[in-house]
Each structure stands twice: as C-alpha cells, then as structure tokens.
Amino acid sequence: FSLPAAVVGVIAGTTSAFAPSSLSTKHHASTELYNRKPFITGNWKLNPSTKGEAIQLASEIAKAITPESPDVALFVPFPFIETVQNVVGDKITIGAEMVTPEMNGAFTGGISAPMLKSIGTQWALAGHSERRTINKETDEYINAQCLKLIEQDMSAILCIGETLTEFESDLAGSICEMQLKKGLANISKEVLLSGHVAIAYEPVWAIG
C-alpha cells in the first residue's frame, strides 16, 4: 500500500486508508507528499556500549554523507546525544529514541521534551515496537508523546507495524490503520503536513 495515501486517508477519516491506491504515478509526483526530499533514519537501540564507540560510529556515518545524500537522522541512546551531535555537526539530525509525555515530577528515568530541546534535540521516536511490547506503551501513551513534542515545537516519528501473526492473518492494514488513528489523535492535518510528524512503517517481523 501507499503509506502517504494511507496517512492522508486516516486524517480524512476514511475506512480504506490502506487499500491499494488507484492514483497514478503522475498524480503522486505532483503532490506535496511525493515531492519531499527522502528522509532516511536509523535507530541505534541499546548500542553501542561506550562513548568512544559512539564517536567512531557517528564519524564513519557522517563521512558517508554528501551534498547529494537524502536527509539523514540518527536516533541514539540518551547518554550519547550531545556527543554525537558534536561529531556530525549539521550533516545529520540527531534524535532521541523515546520521550516521556510528562514534563516534570516523580517519574524516575523519564526524559521530557523540554530536556531534549534544551540540548538541541528536535526529534524523538514514538511507538517503536520494542517500546510497545517490552515497555507496554499503549497507543494513548504514544499519542501523548507525539502531542507533547508538537506542543514544544518539536517533531515526532510515529512508528507503526504489524507482528508476523497479524501479517499472516492478513491484518496488516487494519493494525496499521488503528495505530495511525490512535497515534495521530488530536493532531491536525496542518501540523502533519508542516513536517512535525513523520510515519515510520516497520513490520515487527522485519526488525533484525
């Protein structure tokens, strides 16, 4: 299916957002969505083990970026964010692997959007499958993360995707549609088209 068409369909409230698109390639090429510069991101998860390794990895990735490269973002563990930002400069956008919707208070281990923004971080992941399953983050919690980032004039990558069982049961479309609708609740079409939200479709069964 066509993900941009799916996103627009969900915003508009249609029930067939993930149906195969009948729009022509010519029409696609004329839309704002399809005219955007490609945006490639990578998530380091719980890697690497040390600051030195993070510096080496970030340096090697930055060296591969040329003026002709797509826009690139790396989502790295919290302890390495500022270090990696200093290594890559303006060649790569550095984001956080998650954010808590709470702003302050008794939330041990939490990282708020203002904390991230104060160190120059503008992007954070929301809804990664590992956070959904291991940390039991619900669609409502994920939506709260997105809303808080937008409130702080930051940006979110909303991660969606079905499990292997759901894929084999032909439920991929309905699962992704549900995750999109709940994850994007109370976020206007104008905000989405402004670039404050990107959608990352990553089937759980395809994650290495």
Side-chain angles (χ1 to χ4, degrees):
F1 54 82
S2 168
L3 187 56
V7 175
V8 173
V10 170
I11 296 170
T14 65
T15 59
S16 59
F18 283 85
S21 174
S22 60
L23 299 177
S24 68
T25 301
K26 180 178 180 180
H27 179 76
H28 279 174
S30 68
T31 67
E32 181 179 353
L33 285 169
Y34 283 82
N35 284 333
R36 288 179 177 174
K37 187 177 181 180
F39 183 33
I40 298 176
T41 70
N43 169 27
W44 284 7
K45 304 177 184 285
L46 191 58
N47 300 292
S49 299
T50 68
K51 178 180 176 180
E53 291 173 331
I55 291 173
Q56 180 180 357
L57 179 57
S59 298
E60 292 174 355
I61 295 172
K63 288 177 182 176
I65 303 299
T66 70
E68 290 72 37
S69 296
D71 290 334
V72 177
L74 297 176
F75 293 84
V76 308
F78 295 125
F80 303 146
I81 288 179
E82 286 191 281
T83 296
V84 172
Q85 285 174 333
N86 291 332
V87 169
V88 304
D90 60 1
K91 296 182 73 173
I92 300 174
T93 297
I94 304 302
E97 296 184 345
M98 61 83 66
V99 64
T100 52
E102 296 82 15
M103 298 291 281
N104 50 59
F107 301 98
T108 301
I111 302 291
S112 71
M115 289 178 181
L116 293 172
K117 189 173 183 178
S118 72
I119 61 171
T121 304
Q122 288 295 320
W123 285 84
L125 299 179
H128 192 282
S129 62
E130 290 154 11
R131 302 290 307 179
R132 291 177 185 267
T133 56
I134 299 172
N135 300 89
K136 310 301 180 185
E137 293 185 0
T138 65
D139 287 308
E140 291 72 23
Y141 186 85
I142 292 161
N143 175 243
Q145 292 174 310
C146 293
L147 290 171
K148 192 58 63 177
L149 288 165
I150 292 169
E151 178 185 300
Q152 295 296 310
D153 196 29
M154 297 170 68
S155 301
I157 289 191
L158 174 62
C159 305
I160 63 171
E162 77 286 353
T163 65
L164 180 59
T165 299
E166 292 164 344
F167 175 76
E168 292 176 339
S169 300
D170 198 27
L171 295 173
S174 59
I175 293 296
C176 290
E177 182 175 5
M178 178 184 67
Q179 291 175 347
L180 276 172
K181 283 185 174 180
K182 291 185 176 181
L184 299 176
N186 300 311
I187 300 175
S188 69
K189 180 178 179 179
E190 289 70 28
V191 169
L192 289 171
L193 294 178
S194 73
H196 279 289
V197 180
I199 307 299
Y201 170 61
E202 186 175 35
V204 180
W205 48 270
I207 297 176

